[in-house]
Structures are given as C-alpha cells and as structure tokens.
Amino acid sequence: MYIEPGYEVVRLRLRTVPERPELLDLDLRGVQSVRVERIHGRELVRLDFPDDSPASALWLRMKPDVALHWSYGVAS
C-alpha cells in the first residue's frame, strides 16, 4: 500500500508472490481515511471517501481470504 496523505491518494497493489503480476492494482484518489479493522477474525483494510464522492467506502479483506467490497453513498 502506498499512501500520499496530503494528496488524498492511495495505491493498493496485491500479489501472491513478489515475482508475479498483481492480482489487484488500484490507484484511488480522494481518499479521506485509511484504517485496519479486525472483525470476527477477519482483517479488513477500510478506505473512506468524502460525502460528495460516488463511493462511500472500500473494504479489502486480507484474512482469512482476499475479497474486495465497495459501498456507495447517497451521492451515487
């Protein structure tokens, strides 16, 4: 994960092993906050976006398996 807080930019890159191509490569702009949450034995990276953004939040689950989930707010 690469974060530029002053520019609200987050890049998520996910690989199975270092020499393989990415399974996931997201370049996200307008990110308001990034945090890691542990819920029911799962580890989630949560990215929140401003209220006027089409996306509300993005969750990337890393444990026990990998999953990506978007939620959309009222603005979408």
Side-chain angles (χ1 to χ4, degrees):
M1 182 184 306
Y2 174 76
I3 301 174
E4 286 185 51
Y7 296 99
E8 300 176 338
V9 172
V10 173
R11 184 169 187 193
L12 295 172
R13 298 174 78 186
L14 179 62
R15 298 175 188 218
T16 55
V17 289
E19 59 274 358
R20 293 286 191 141
E22 292 92 358
L23 292 174
L24 174 73
D25 188 357
L26 294 174
D27 190 10
L28 305 166
R29 305 200 181 273
V31 176
Q32 190 172 17
S33 67
V34 177
R35 62 182 177 243
V36 175
E37 297 181 3
R38 289 177 178 83
I39 301 171
H40 304 295
R42 295 189 168 122
E43 294 177 358
L44 302 167
V45 176
R46 179 179 173 156
L47 288 81
D48 290 304
F49 297 90
D51 291 338
D52 61 347
S53 176
S56 175
L58 175 142
W59 287 273
L60 176 61
R61 184 176 65 206
M62 300 300 296
K63 181 182 175 186
D65 54 356
V66 176
L68 182 69
H69 175 77
W70 287 95
S71 68
Y72 297 94
V74 179
S76 60

